[in-house]
Amino acid sequence: MREKIVEKTFDALFALEDLREILRKTAPFDLTKEQVEEARKVLAKVRKALDEIEREMR
Amino acid sequence: MVQTVGGLEVRAKEELFINLEPLQRGGIMPAEARKAALSYIDGYSTCDYCVGTLHLIKKPPIANFLEEVAGFLGMDFAILTNGCREAKFAVVHAITKPGDAIVVDANRHYTSYVAAERVGLAIYEVESTGYPYFQIKPEGYAKAIEKVKAETGRLPSLVLLTHVDWIYGNLVDAEKVGKICEEYGVPFLLNTAYSSGRMPINGRGLKADFVTCSGHKSWAAGAGTVGILAIRKEWAEKVIKSSKEYKVKPIEILGCSARGSSTIALIVSFPFIKERVKHWDEEVKKARWFSSQMEALGDIKQLGDKPHNHDLIRFDTPAFDRIAQKHRRRGYFLYEELLGRKIAGIKAGKTKAFDLSTYQLTNEQLKYIIDSFKDIIEKYS
């Protein structure tokens, strides 16, 4: 259980770094449609990782 | 409300602003390096599989990385240091002795001078051409070496050149300086804190005996500080010599240097560095465009090499200083106006002259910066 939670914790953190990268590359402008789409994909990865952590902890 | 972490303000400069700080632009880390640094953030994280000294560690692949870096820089060996200054000091300390002479350029970083002072060297300077170009002419090195010879009866023990300086972003013809050093038989240290990692460097081609690099300044490696000292094999015995008592510990770097996430950041950023140096011409083109647009605003003059050859650019800016004289916030007005437009990195209080870097900014960002400067001038005229 612990290994899986640790792995998914890093997956979530790493995905958030990808989100941060989008913000860093586009500052200080509003995100374009394509960038919002890219950010959504990243958020989906984060959510998936968090869901898996929750499942492991049940 | 200001977001805090551990009682400190969260630093979101790169996420919220365009950051023009020349010190910082080349050290901005790509996502993969930040991820790796995050997982290696604890103290001595590089040392899980220690083999006695940092530069020989195979897991993480520090030894392989250093071999590859040496080749990338056109040199024979490379070791990690805590920064470029420590790399310079390691060389100065290893190959000179108190009372020897060193020749340095007038645009040098202060640490080049301090490293020589720490060893007790007599420091001879190659003057710059002065206002407005402040260039270091390679032939000045021959004159300085001759001066050392005339005054001391000996050659200098070392010549140091700042490849690109931190004030004007001037790029010096290092190969010419290298040839002069070769002719005199004086070892040549090339400080590439603002060049390697940004632009291609071939130390051997430039006839450098030592190349010193800054990870956090130009190799996209933050997470602390880290440097590289690359050397030619002729100098290996002297500069990477080991302790008599502790056989695997190189004396000049006190055994092991950057023992944590900054080294990891440097390794993971390396593929990104190898790719980005291929696009240096585009960076120079952007810098030149930016410089011309700034001057077109009126009463702004770019200093240093013209046309410019680097992303670090210094401007004389009477256009802003005139506004500062009458503004209730005086010199701080420009910093605050820029901050309000989400532009950071121009030092607070500077309006007579300032430097900035255009490195890795997009055309859209650069145009936005020019438009912002224009807006500010128009607002107060």
Side-chain angles (χ1 to χ4, degrees), chain B residues 22-92:
Chain B
L23 262 182
Q24 295 171 344
R25 284 228 57 83
I28 294 172
M29 301 216 301
E32 286 307 294
R34 292 199 306 279
K35 293 173 195 176
L38 187 65
S39 87
Y40 279 81
I41 204 68
D42 299 307
Y44 282 102
S45 58
T46 47
C47 307
D48 292 334
Y49 303 94
C50 177
V51 291
T53 187
L54 186 75
H55 68 284
L56 298 179
I57 289 176
K58 288 194 167 60
K59 192 180 171 181
I62 295 171
N64 285 351
F65 164 73
L66 288 171
E67 256 184 63
E68 216 187 315
V69 163
F72 176 69
L73 291 168
M75 301 295 277
D76 297 317
F77 296 106
I79 52 169
L80 294 166
T81 59
N82 285 313
C84 190
R85 63 190 68 192
E86 286 82 359
K88 287 184 287 185
F89 180 70
V91 174
V92 173

Side-chain angles (χ1 to χ4, degrees), chain B residues 137-297:
Chain B
K137 298 289 185 191
E139 47 277 21
Y141 273 89
K143 282 184 197 156
I145 292 170
E146 285 296 337
K147 190 176 176 195
V148 173
K149 240 169 85 176
E151 289 183 8
T152 69
R154 289 186 300 151
L155 288 167
S157 297
L158 182 65
V159 155
L160 184 151
L161 169 66
T162 316
H163 196 198
V164 172
D165 74 84
W166 62 285
I167 318 167
Y168 308 105
N170 281 349
L171 174 70
V172 184
D173 188 336
E175 191 179 350
K176 278 191 183 165
V177 177
K179 276 183 185 160
I180 291 167
C181 292
E182 195 176 59
E183 280 161 21
Y184 280 97
V186 177
F188 174 35
L189 187 160
L190 185 63
N191 172 12
T192 68
Y194 269 109
S195 56
S196 64
R198 287 166 127 98
M199 58 193 280
I201 296 289
N202 182 335
R204 187 174 293 276
L206 299 175
K207 303 188 177 300
D209 295 280
F210 313 100
V211 173
T212 61
C213 315
S214 172
H216 44 280
K217 200 176 269 174
S218 292
W219 288 60
T225 66
V226 64
I228 298 163
L229 168 59
I231 67 171
R232 301 267 286 268
K233 58 177 179 286
E234 303 88 280
W235 293 98
E237 213 173 294
K238 228 170 181 179
V239 178
I240 318 185
K241 67 176 179 289
S242 293
S243 157
K244 284 178 190 157
E245 182 72 17
Y246 304 94
K247 307 283 185 206
V248 289
K249 303 287 191 189
I251 289 175
E252 300 299 350
I253 54 163
L254 302 178
C256 303
S257 57
R259 308 173 289 285
S261 53
S262 58
T263 289
I264 295 301
L266 187 65
I267 293 172
V268 178
S269 281
F270 190 43
F272 170 77
I273 294 298
K274 284 190 285 188
E275 182 54 34
R276 84 176 183 185
V277 299
K278 293 178 193 163
H279 303 280
W280 176 243
D281 287 353
E282 293 159 37
E283 293 296 336
V284 172
K285 214 162 141 187
K286 280 192 288 179
R288 288 179 181 178
W289 176 84
F290 186 85
S291 170
S292 69
Q293 294 298 305
M294 282 293 279
E295 290 195 329
L297 296 176

Side-chain angles (χ1 to χ4, degrees), chain B residues 100-114:
Chain B
D100 285 0
I102 183 171
V103 175
V104 301
D105 56 288
N107 291 344
R108 72 196 170 251
H109 192 251
Y110 77 90
T111 52
S112 298
Y113 196 93
V114 169

Side-chain angles (χ1 to χ4, degrees), chain A residues 17-18 20-21 24 27, chain B residues 15 18 34-35 342 365:
Chain A
E17 283 298 335
D18 288 332
R20 207 173 158 205
E21 188 72 356
R24 285 173 156 233
Chain B
E15 289 79 4
I18 298 175
R34 292 199 306 279
K35 293 173 195 176
K342 298 289 178 193
Q365 287 171 319

Side-chain angles (χ1 to χ4, degrees), chain A residues 9-54:
Chain A
T9 300
F10 276 117
D11 278 352
L13 287 168
F14 294 165
L16 285 171
E17 283 298 335
D18 288 332
L19 178 60
R20 207 173 158 205
E21 188 72 356
I22 295 170
L23 297 172
R24 285 173 156 233
K25 286 196 164 152
T26 56
F29 310 122
D30 290 336
L31 298 181
T32 62
K33 272 185 189 167
E34 291 77 21
Q35 288 157 353
V36 167
E37 197 44 49
E38 207 185 325
R40 285 207 175 104
K41 281 182 194 163
V42 170
L43 289 180
K45 273 191 200 171
V46 178
R47 282 202 188 91
K48 187 169 176 254
L50 297 181
D51 287 345
E52 289 186 59
I53 292 170
E54 272 206 73

